[in-house]
Amino acid sequence: MSEETEYEIALSRPKAFYSAFERKEELQHQTHYCPGCGHGIVHKMLAQAIDSLEIQNRTVLISPVGCSVFAYYYFDVGNIQAAHGRASAVATAVKRTRPDSIVISYQGDGDLAAIGSAEILHAANRGENITVIFVNNTIYSMTGGQVAPTTLLGQVSTTTPKGRQAGNEGYPLHVSELLATLQAPVYIERVGLGDNRQIAQAARAVRRAVENQARGLGFSFVEILSPCPTIWKMSPVEAQHWVRDVMEKTFPLGVLRDLIAQAEPRPVPRPAPSLDEIPRILGVAPPAPAASAERSSPKPASPLDLQVRVAGFGGQGVLLLGEMLAEAGLDAGLEVSWLPSYGPEMRSGTSNCHVRLAQEPVDSPLVAHPDVLVAMNEPSLIKFAATVRRGGWIVYNGEAVPAECPAEGVHILARPFTHIADELGDARAANMLMLGALLEIAGSLPQASVDAALMRLVKSPRWLELDERAMTRGRELFQEAFEGVRR
Amino acid sequence: MDALKRDRGHLRVNAEECKGCGLCIEACPPKVIRLTERINHYGYRTAEYTGAGCTGCGICFQVCPEPGAITVLRLVTPRSGVPRRNHTATTGAI
């Protein structure tokens, strides 16, 4: 054949596709799409964009639910198949944890515009640096042709057999226009697959949307009006014409947002922690086999990552105690989290909070294994004592920790703080007494930060004065108990 | 065809990948693609090149929904980027 020598290949199967599609037993070079399906055309232009931008080895494609659910069988890139409608939320997570990756959320109109309408709206509003390819064929195809948010008025579907009526099913949802009301998106364009010119423009738009991400510019969205010959009950060519002649009247093509020239590359987020660190971050790692606390000196928990659980009953000031610690940490320039957890009762129900103070951003606000447990009553002590890390602390509002309480390898400061507070002037100041002791354990929080937190949270001059005295007394109680050991 | 005039383009259709949707036939500007009379393995009448007149524009490739059903070739030229229009055939028609 002379073509081998006279001609060279100009356009052929893009490299971003697998060489064989292993989903199928036979004909492993064909997709599962119907003849004339727009998905195949969009897949090809996306694959070409990936090839030409040379990003195949760092692309992650998020497959949706719908006909294109199997996109991961075709694209030889990183792949995740998301729960229905969640593709742009999954894309957000992938992009944030792997900032170097190119994350493409590929979604249909049933997936994106119906069940996933919240996810896409908020991903766009956050201006996530992802690319969303939205293939709109105005109908639920995979499930057999039910009405979609995008179905045209009068369009027949299995659930609108007499055509969509605005009075009952509402109007076609214009997703691109909706997203174009937001400030964050950098690029939004609606293109079509209605004829050669439209297809060429669609290919340019897809490439642009991916390139924007590679340049770090932010959220790019391409809506592609796409034929579904099977469900529309048309020949492939008729369906193509229907896109151009009918669909486009409801969904006009064009650029709805183009800030590419003005957009500044977005700051790259910190890379995600390694997988090994996840159990520790979530607090589900088994407690480290620390040396027995009796033999080691009672070293305070590191202020660099202090995890505290405060528990008691409602009305004891449990949450305020935790909030004070968090506010003081915030004032001192630390990363903090304060996560309250309480029942519906305003008084006498159980109440507890999780507080974390760290120099690095706090990964999880949950404190499963505290360095310090502040237990303001016995039920809270019994409930949480076993969770305290070995070598950690329990500050308990009582004469002594009950013998049956599991507190092995843990330092204990047990005092009747409520009685001591009563002597100071008001039993309700017990929380500030215990906070004083907690601040001694926490170590290096500057007094000025503690004062600033108190000023912010306590407005009454009487309480301000009492709380200050209570905190000072709490510090003294700790020092009296652990004199010479702590410092 | 005129053996002294080479077409700028050439086209291959993989009959095992083509589903016979006909979009390439609709899209082809010089109208040099048609459906075969044969039925392939899958039961589709597939597209085929008529054998002459391809310009190598690549539109059929772009509108084809299958990844590798169509391959577009272009005439090799002495200076890259400028297709030869009147190349003397040495090996006969394609």
Side-chain angles (χ1 to χ4, degrees):
Chain A
M1 288 283 283
S2 67
E3 74 170 64
E4 301 300 333
T5 51
E6 302 286 317
Y7 289 88
E8 62 187 9
I9 291 175
L11 291 163
S12 62
R13 181 193 189 85
K15 291 199 296 292
F17 287 120
Y18 286 114
S19 54
F21 306 142
E22 293 183 354
R23 190 183 77 88
K24 303 169 86 180
E25 290 283 310
E26 52 163 24
L27 294 172
Q28 292 194 342
H29 299 282
Q30 270 185 346
T31 64
H32 71 289
Y33 297 117
C34 306
C37 175
H39 277 307
I41 302 172
V42 178
H43 278 22
K44 190 183 273 178
M45 53 183 67
L46 182 56
Q48 286 177 301
I50 292 168
D51 281 2
S52 69
L53 293 165
E54 300 181 340
I55 52 170
Q56 185 180 5
N57 62 356
R58 58 190 181 111
T59 294
V60 180
L61 184 72
I62 315 297
S63 306
V65 168
C67 289
S68 50
V69 62
F70 292 140
Y72 57 86
Y73 279 111
Y74 304 132
F75 285 90
D76 185 7
V77 298
N79 286 286
I80 295 176
Q81 194 273 312
H84 203 188
R86 273 58 183 171
S88 33
V90 172
T92 299
V94 174
K95 185 67 185 184
R96 289 192 177 202
T97 48
R98 295 182 174 274
D100 292 335
S101 58
I102 303 296
V103 186
I104 299 161
S105 181
Y106 188 107
Q107 303 179 253
D109 51 310
D111 185 86
L112 182 142
I115 192 169
S117 53
E119 282 75 9
I120 187 61
L121 189 67
H122 293 289
N125 193 41
R126 293 188 304 267
E128 296 295 339
N129 187 24
I130 59 173
T131 304
V132 179
I133 306 295
F134 170 44
V135 180
N136 178 3
N137 62 12
T138 72
I139 204 133
Y140 279 84
S141 295
M142 189 189 75
T143 51
Q146 294 79 9
V147 71
T150 43
T151 300
L152 308 187
L153 286 180
Q155 189 180 348
V156 171
S157 73
T158 60
T159 44
T160 55
K162 292 180 177 166
R164 181 179 191 165
Q165 301 299 321
N168 200 47
E169 293 94 33
Y171 292 87
L173 194 67
H174 289 68
V175 177
S176 292
E177 284 82 351
L178 192 65
L179 298 185
T181 64
L182 305 172
Q183 283 178 274
V186 164
Y187 174 56
I188 299 173
E189 180 168 357
R190 182 184 289 121
V191 294
L193 301 180
D195 57 29
N196 292 353
R197 263 187 40 202
Q198 289 190 2
I199 290 171
Q201 178 58 24
R204 282 192 290 272
V206 165
R207 197 199 130 100
R208 244 181 139 192
V210 178
E211 190 180 5
N212 289 344
Q213 181 183 168
R215 291 170 56 198
L217 300 185
F219 186 83
S220 296
F221 184 88
V222 181
E223 174 174 351
I224 304 175
L225 305 184
S226 176
C228 179
T230 302
I231 298 296
W232 295 354
K233 298 183 173 63
M234 297 180 193
S235 77
V237 173
E238 285 168 353
Q240 186 184 59
H241 292 166
W242 199 79
V243 169
R244 185 189 59 200
D245 300 336
V246 180
M247 254 183 110
E248 197 194 327
K249 289 194 169 56
T250 296
F251 296 112
L253 306 189
V255 176
L256 289 115
R257 171 68 55 84
D258 185 351
L259 300 177
I260 296 171
Q262 301 96 297
E264 296 285 330
R266 290 163 58 88
V268 177
R270 278 192 322 148
S274 76
L275 210 54
D276 302 341
E277 291 176 73
I278 301 294
R280 181 190 59 75
I281 289 165
L282 295 178
V284 296
S292 152
E294 281 75 27
R295 280 188 279 113
S296 67
S297 68
K299 196 166 137 285
S302 165
L304 300 183
D305 186 9
L306 178 71
Q307 305 197 17
V308 179
R309 194 77 180 257
V310 187
F313 60 77
Q316 281 188 309
V318 167
L319 302 187
L320 179 62
L321 195 171
E323 205 178 351
M324 271 289 299
L325 181 65
E327 281 279 343
L330 200 62
D331 188 89
L334 296 172
E335 298 281 343
V336 306
S337 67
W338 171 74
L339 181 71
S341 166
Y342 46 85
E345 314 90 336
M346 289 304 287
R347 292 288 180 272
S348 81
T350 60
S351 171
N352 73 81
C353 63
H354 311 237
V355 183
R356 287 189 63 174
L357 272 61
Q359 268 165 345
E360 295 297 310
V362 174
D363 308 282
S364 165
L366 282 175
V367 173
H369 297 287
D371 301 304
V372 185
L373 168 67
V374 179
M376 296 196 66
N377 61 9
E378 189 174 323
S380 300
L381 176 74
I382 303 295
K383 187 171 176 188
F384 294 116
T387 67
V388 179
R389 280 178 206 277
R390 277 180 156 267
W393 290 81
I394 292 176
V395 181
Y396 174 52
N397 183 19
E399 294 285 353
V401 168
E404 72 272 20
C405 182
E408 204 179 318
V410 172
H411 311 292
I412 292 168
L413 177 67
R415 292 287 182 278
F417 289 105
T418 300
H419 294 291
I420 300 167
D422 194 33
E423 288 162 17
L424 284 178
D426 195 315
R428 287 174 292 176
N431 60 342
M432 292 297 147
L433 274 166
M434 298 179 85
L435 175 62
L438 174 58
L439 287 169
E440 285 295 298
I441 295 169
S444 57
L445 273 181
Q447 185 59 43
S449 293
V450 179
D451 293 342
L454 193 66
M455 292 291 283
R456 264 200 295 279
L457 293 174
V458 178
K459 299 297 178 202
S460 140
R462 175 181 164 253
W463 275 104
L464 209 54
E465 183 275 327
L466 180 57
D467 284 345
E468 275 172 356
R469 270 196 294 130
M471 261 194 282
T472 307
R473 182 73 192 116
R475 285 182 186 273
E476 288 166 6
L477 287 168
F478 178 89
Q479 285 159 4
E480 286 161 16
F482 294 96
E483 199 173 2
V485 192
R486 157 81 175 75
R487 289 177 212 280
Chain B
M1 70 176 275
D2 181 1
L4 298 178
K5 267 189 145 185
R6 306 302 308 273
D7 288 320
R8 280 177 288 158
H10 185 67
L11 182 60
R12 290 183 203 148
V13 179
N14 184 332
E16 289 305 308
E17 295 190 38
C18 176
K19 289 172 177 167
C21 71
L23 290 180
C24 57
I25 297 169
E26 171 77 6
C28 177
K31 299 294 173 205
V32 295
I33 313 175
R34 65 185 172 209
L35 283 185
T36 59
E37 293 303 319
R38 297 185 304 277
I39 302 286
N40 79 351
H41 180 79
Y42 232 38
Y44 294 125
R45 285 179 64 204
T46 59
E48 68 175 2
Y49 180 36
T50 57
C54 176
T55 63
C57 71
I59 289 174
C60 57
F61 177 83
Q62 209 63 54
V63 304
C64 173
E66 287 303 310
I70 289 179
T71 303
V72 175
L73 299 93
R74 288 186 188 135
L75 196 61
V76 178
T77 60
R79 281 169 300 177
S80 60
V82 186
R84 285 182 295 184
R85 290 173 188 276
N86 292 298
H87 173 67
T88 305
T90 52
T91 51
I94 301 159

